[in-house]
């Protein structure tokens, strides 16, 4: 419940907030944010060192403050549901300690403002930043958020839940506080076998085609396609997976109840019915440029690998790819025209550690299990490829037009006249050559296969 409330306070990817959660636990962090000013104000007014006097002034300030009402009214106050659990006093925190007690300490006096006190500022942020976080905490309505999410068919998944994808823990302190998930399937199970397909919003027809082809191909092979639900490559990947009757996950930079972009409202609704819509932000929250960028780390961490279809040098898709590389995930790129600015970023990736892929089979070969090998790529096999070397030399010695004598054919092929005759009759039985008077010539159907690739003279 505390983590659900903190998704409205902490920005996605806030490593300082992540460290707070790791060291103090969500319940204590939330209590500090809500109670902080009442405690520090009381301590600031204290002029005596008498412990009893200090405690009395603390209790008076708490009782008169607006923040006190937050916990007193569990039904409507900020994080009211948490308040009903026990006003955060004595609630077992995530690290096994009691919130507000144990390893956190209840510092006395002005030192509490530095993070050691019962309601002081936590370390790592300025006073201005702390005040901003506290202002957000003062407007919390976690019960309302949970009700709104439930009405949209969404739920909140926190680290440690059975549905939590453990690979997100690779993000360290920058991992999500929790995820709002819309859809029926289990996020953890789907993430075990998933691939991200990302790229430019303003993609070319080639990029849209490749994204849809990859999405469909991966879905047909039993893989979950993860993308950002945006225009262009993202939308093409989602549609490809849905069209193949497969699984897809959209990771949004806004509340899961608010489809963005609005032009994809129908697509995101269909993803929620057939797959999953995931986001770090609480219901109703809107996207910002920084949230789009930070959303990409979740896409990279959630999946086994990331495929970039089209991306310019300045592209959010490259952020996803580099994050995947930092996390030790596979990074792949689909090449485009060398003259295309939209493929310039992909080509730069391919000059580094990224792997070139052209279809779903090659993606699965890289991220899949042992034995998931892509078919070998080669050109078409023509009949002359099956000839023995001696016969192939004699065939290549025949002119493109007209006929040639056996002696001239043998000289050109570097063999004897007797051997040339034997080879010519073999070639005749196979339909490559025919007798023309005293000479030999190529048959009409043989000419294209011999001279198409410059294979003869």
């Amino acid at each position: 419940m505390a983590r659900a409330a903190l998704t409205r306070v902490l920005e996605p990817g806030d490593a300082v907030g992540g460290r707070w959660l790791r060291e103090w636990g969500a319940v204590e962090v939330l209590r500090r944010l809500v109670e902080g000013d009442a405690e520090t104000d009381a301590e600031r007014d204290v002029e005596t060192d008498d412990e009893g006097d200090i405690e009395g002034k603390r209790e008076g300030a708490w009782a008169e403050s607006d923040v006190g009402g937050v916990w007193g009214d569990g039904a409507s106050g900020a994080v009211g549901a948490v308040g009903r659990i026990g006003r955060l006093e004595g609630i077992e925190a995530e690290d096994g300690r009691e919130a507000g007690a144990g390893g956190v300490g209840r510092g006395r006096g002005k030192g509490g403002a530095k993070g050691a006190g019962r309601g002081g500022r936590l370390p790592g942020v300025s006073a201005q930043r702390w005040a901003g976080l506290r202002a957000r905490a003062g407007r919390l309505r976690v019960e309302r958020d949970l009700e709104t999410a439930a009405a949209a068919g969404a739920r909140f998944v926190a680290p440690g839940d059975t549905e939590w994808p453990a690979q997100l823990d690779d993000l360290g302190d920058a991992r999500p506080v929790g995820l709002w998930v819309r859809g029926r399937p289990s996020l953890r199970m789907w993430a075990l076998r998933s691939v991200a397909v990302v790229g430019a919003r303003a993609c070319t027809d080639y990029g849209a085609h490749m994204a849809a082809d990859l999405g469909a191909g991966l879905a047909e092979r039993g893989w979950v396609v993860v993308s950002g639900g945006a225009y262009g490559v993202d939308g093409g990947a989602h549609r490809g997976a849905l069209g193949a009757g497969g699984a897809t996950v959209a990771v949004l930079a806004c509340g899961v109840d608010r489809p963005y972009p609005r032009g994809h409202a129908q697509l995101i609704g269909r993803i929620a019915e057939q797959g999953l819509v995931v986001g770090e932000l609480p219901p109703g929250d809107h996207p910002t440029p920084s949230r789009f960028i930070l959303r990409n780390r979740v896409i990279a961490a959630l999946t086994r690998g990331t495929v970039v279809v089209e991306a310019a040098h300045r592209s959010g898709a490259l952020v996803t790819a580099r994050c995947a590389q930092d996390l030790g995930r596979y990074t792949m790129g689909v090449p485009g025209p060398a003259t295309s600015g939209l493929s310039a970023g992909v080509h730069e990736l391919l000059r580094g550690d990224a792997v070139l892929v052209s279809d779903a089979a090659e993606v699965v070969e890289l991220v899949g299990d042992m034995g998931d090998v892509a078919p070998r790529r080669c050109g078409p096999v023509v009949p002359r490829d099956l000839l023995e070397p001696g016969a192939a030399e004699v065939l290549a010695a025949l002119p493109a037009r007209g006929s040639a004598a056996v002696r001239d054919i043998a000289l050109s092929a570097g063999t004897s006249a007797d051997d040339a005759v034997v080879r010519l009759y073999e070639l005749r039985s196979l339909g490559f050559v025919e007798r023309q008077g005293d000479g030999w010539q190529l048959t009409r159907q043989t000419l294209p296969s011999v001279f198409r690739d410059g294979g003869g003279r």
Side-chain angles (χ1 to χ4, degrees):
M1 193 72 97
R3 281 184 174 271
L6 287 171
T7 59
R8 197 169 284 283
V9 179
L10 301 175
E11 281 293 311
D14 186 344
V16 174
R19 180 164 62 87
W20 293 345
L21 292 171
R22 173 170 50 83
E23 294 181 356
W24 280 278
V27 175
E28 174 64 14
V29 170
L30 182 60
R31 188 189 66 78
R32 294 278 191 113
L33 287 165
V34 174
E35 295 182 3
D37 281 352
E39 293 291 326
T40 53
D41 287 347
E43 289 164 357
R44 198 163 43 239
D45 293 339
V46 172
E47 300 293 340
T48 176
D49 291 332
D50 180 73
E51 183 174 322
D53 217 8
I54 292 175
E55 289 297 328
K57 291 199 175 190
R58 244 196 212 131
E59 291 174 3
W62 171 251
E64 295 172 3
S65 68
D66 292 336
V67 180
V70 166
W71 299 119
D73 181 7
S76 60
V79 289
V82 181
R84 282 209 304 273
I85 294 174
R87 297 184 57 181
L88 297 182
E89 287 296 328
I91 298 175
E92 187 175 346
E94 293 155 313
D95 54 7
R97 295 171 292 167
E98 281 193 338
V104 178
R106 298 178 179 239
R108 302 289 196 267
K110 296 179 182 180
K114 296 299 181 182
R118 180 172 179 268
R121 169 158 49 101
L122 290 166
V125 293
S126 64
Q128 183 178 3
R129 177 61 180 155
W130 180 255
L133 294 174
R134 291 218 61 255
R136 286 187 176 186
R139 299 185 178 91
L140 289 177
R141 295 294 184 271
V142 67
E143 284 184 321
R144 185 183 304 168
D145 286 342
L146 292 170
E147 290 171 359
T148 302
R155 59 193 177 278
F156 183 74
V157 179
D161 290 347
T162 56
E163 195 180 351
W164 180 259
Q167 56 266 45
L168 290 179
D169 298 340
D170 294 345
L171 292 170
D173 289 340
R175 77 174 180 179
V177 176
L179 291 174
W180 299 87
V181 181
R182 182 181 167 198
R184 291 186 297 273
S186 168
L187 177 61
R188 183 179 71 85
M189 297 304 296
W190 274 28
L192 291 175
R193 192 177 171 86
S194 63
V195 177
V197 180
V198 297
R201 285 179 173 82
C203 67
T204 63
D205 291 341
Y206 163 77
H209 169 78
M210 288 303 301
D213 186 66
L214 284 170
L218 289 167
E220 289 170 353
R221 289 167 172 80
W223 286 80
V224 178
V225 177
V226 179
S227 197
Y231 292 129
V233 168
D234 289 14
H238 289 308
R239 290 189 181 94
L242 291 171
T248 187
V249 177
V251 182
L252 304 185
C254 57
V256 295
D257 64 326
R258 175 178 291 187
Y260 187 89
R262 293 191 179 276
H264 274 180
Q266 185 176 359
L267 174 62
I268 293 174
R270 189 179 170 198
I271 293 172
E273 293 176 1
Q274 189 170 324
L276 289 171
V277 178
V278 177
E280 295 180 74
L281 295 164
D285 243 7
H286 62 279
T288 63
S290 63
R291 288 173 173 179
F292 279 119
I293 296 298
L294 291 165
R295 175 271 310 271
N296 293 339
R297 83 192 193 289
V298 177
I299 296 177
L302 199 62
T303 54
R304 287 197 191 179
T306 295
V307 184
V308 184
V309 176
E310 280 188 328
H313 282 300
R314 283 178 56 87
S315 172
L318 297 183
V319 175
T320 310
R322 292 181 184 123
C323 184
Q325 289 176 333
D326 292 341
L327 292 169
R329 310 290 199 267
Y330 295 105
T331 306
M332 296 151 279
V334 177
T339 55
S340 172
L342 280 175
S343 291
V346 180
H347 296 161
E348 192 65 27
L349 281 176
L350 293 174
R351 283 172 54 83
D353 296 329
V355 178
L356 187 151
V357 293
S358 58
D359 60 19
E362 293 178 350
V363 174
V364 172
E365 181 181 57
L366 193 62
V367 303
D369 302 322
M370 186 177 296
D372 291 334
V373 181
R376 183 181 177 184
R377 304 293 196 270
C378 61
V381 177
V382 296
R384 64 184 173 87
D385 294 332
L386 305 177
L387 294 175
E388 293 181 0
E393 287 293 329
V394 171
L395 179 64
L398 271 75
R401 294 180 179 84
S403 61
V406 171
R407 183 181 56 189
D408 296 332
I409 295 172
L411 182 64
S412 180
T415 186
S416 65
D418 291 340
D419 182 63
V421 170
V422 173
R423 299 295 185 183
L424 286 168
Y425 276 97
E426 289 179 1
L427 293 170
R428 181 185 178 184
S429 65
L430 295 172
F432 285 98
V433 300
E434 59 186 6
R435 186 78 179 265
Q436 182 68 27
D438 293 334
W440 293 83
Q441 67 181 18
L442 296 171
T443 58
R444 191 179 299 271
Q445 62 267 28
T446 303
L447 286 170
S449 68
V450 174
F451 294 100
R452 182 189 313 153
D453 303 322
R457 290 186 290 276

